[in-house]
Amino acid sequence: VQLVESGGGLVQAGGSLRLSCAASGFSFDDYAIGWFRQAPGKERERVSCISSSDGSISYADSVKGRFTISSDNAKDTVTLQMNSLKPEDTAVYYCGAGEIKYSGRGCRGVDYWGKGTLVTVSS
């Protein structure tokens, strides 16, 4: 099982970044895929989650209207488009997959994690 994140980097406030999560080794359609982030000294928080099984999407209040999550089931890839970035968005962003088809857990119970990609937003 692998989740590989890409697309992080350094950007000025107000700029955009596009993160991608490439999944392999499990049944992509049976899982919800989420983006989580962890800033220095803070707990990991869920940013967004998408479930291809029922089409549900959720966002943290702090990113609503700025971030957009999408899924390409043909490529087993989930993308997070981040616009209007703020310095407080600076964090390591992780991709996580939680089984949802049989357990219903989805992003509430992540089974697999990627290694993360660093996003730094300068003021």
Side-chain angles (χ1 to χ4, degrees):
V1 173
Q2 271 195 318
L3 293 170
V4 180
E5 303 97 337
S6 61
L10 173 64
V11 64
Q12 288 188 333
S16 298
L17 281 175
R18 187 178 181 90
L19 304 183
S20 291
C21 173
S24 62
F26 61 95
S27 298
F28 188 80
D29 291 351
D30 295 345
Y31 284 72
I33 307 296
W35 284 98
F36 302 75
R37 68 186 181 187
Q38 187 166 20
K42 295 188 177 181
E43 293 187 353
R44 187 176 298 188
E45 65 172 344
R46 186 169 74 195
V47 174
S48 183
C49 182
I50 186 168
S51 171
S52 60
S53 63
D54 62 6
S56 62
I57 290 175
S58 65
Y59 296 99
D61 288 343
S62 58
V63 306
K64 280 181 181 177
R66 300 188 298 122
F67 291 10
T68 302
I69 193 170
S70 60
S71 176
D72 185 340
N73 287 20
K75 296 181 179 180
D76 290 358
T77 300
V78 172
T79 298
L80 185 70
Q81 177 66 43
M82 307 187 295
N83 299 328
S84 302
L85 283 161
K86 305 175 181 180
E88 51 264 43
D89 294 318
T90 295
V92 177
Y93 283 71
Y94 298 90
C95 176
E99 200 279 338
I100 193 169
K101 183 175 180 180
Y102 300 104
S103 70
R105 288 180 287 103
C107 288
R108 294 179 291 110
V110 172
D111 297 293
Y112 309 118
W113 291 99
K115 293 183 178 180
T117 185
L118 177 63
V119 171
T120 304
V121 184
S122 62
S123 57

